[in-house]
Amino acid sequence: EALFHSIPEYLESFSDFPREKARECARGVLAEIFYRAQSRGSPSAMDMSQALGAQESMAKIAPTALERRNFPILLRAILNETGAILRACEGNINVLSATENWASLIRDAALRAGSYNQSPDPVLRALIDGMESGL
């Protein structure tokens, strides 16, 4: 008997995009952001990358992650990983500021893909660019 903590978690149990795959994709997205930000000398990116355990660019997004029905799962996974980074970097004001901005960008991406029916691929690209520029 499976125990679910939320309706989205229950609905995800029927998906061909399991939570662990979403988490892996989310970590890849964040690693790509950190890699790009570190390349231009962002000190916050280094702290956040270490909290994530990312060593280099790992942006490998499963094609199923960009399907409309799975894209909200990916966005939730990115938000969850962002929360884990925030907890790991507790007290770092730059990380706090970046993650607050990121939460807003993720909500906007969800709105654009869900309510405005924009394609997940360009929405994700814009999200990555916005998150990277905030570091």
Side-chain angles (χ1 to χ4, degrees), residues 22-35:
R23 182 175 184 264
E24 180 182 312
C25 289
R27 291 173 66 81
V29 166
L30 291 170
E32 174 68 18
I33 291 164
F34 299 146
Y35 178 78

Side-chain angles (χ1 to χ4, degrees), residues 3 26 29 38-39 59 70 90 92-93 98 105 113 126:
L3 176 63
V29 166
Q38 286 175 20
S39 296
N70 294 330
E90 184 179 348
N92 184 325
I93 193 70
L105 291 171

Side-chain angles (χ1 to χ4, degrees), residues 63-81:
T64 55
L66 295 175
E67 293 175 8
R68 286 194 187 280
R69 70 181 185 274
N70 294 330
F71 193 59
I73 299 169
L74 174 62
L75 293 177
R76 272 193 300 279
I78 294 170
L79 191 60
N80 289 341
E81 291 301 308

Side-chain angles (χ1 to χ4, degrees), residues 24-133:
E24 180 182 312
C25 289
R27 291 173 66 81
V29 166
L30 291 170
E32 174 68 18
I33 291 164
F34 299 146
Y35 178 78
R36 288 168 49 176
Q38 286 175 20
S39 296
R40 62 175 176 72
S42 169
S44 294
M46 180 63 79
D47 294 339
M48 295 171 83
S49 179
Q50 288 175 345
L52 182 68
Q55 299 300 321
E56 59 186 65
S57 174
M58 307 181 309
K60 296 175 184 141
I61 306 301
T64 55
L66 295 175
E67 293 175 8
R68 286 194 187 280
R69 70 181 185 274
N70 294 330
F71 193 59
I73 299 169
L74 174 62
L75 293 177
R76 272 193 300 279
I78 294 170
L79 191 60
N80 289 341
E81 291 301 308
T82 298
I85 292 167
L86 179 59
R87 288 186 295 278
C89 296
E90 184 179 348
N92 184 325
I93 193 70
N94 294 326
V95 172
L96 175 62
S97 176
T99 55
E100 285 179 350
N101 181 42
W102 285 6
S104 176
L105 291 171
I106 293 167
R107 282 190 301 273
D108 181 60
L111 182 67
R112 290 175 53 205
S115 297
Y116 300 142
N117 204 29
Q118 293 181 358
S119 176
D121 187 43
V123 170
L124 181 62
R125 289 176 198 215
L127 175 63
I128 290 171
D129 289 346
M131 290 172 75
E132 186 261 327
S133 70

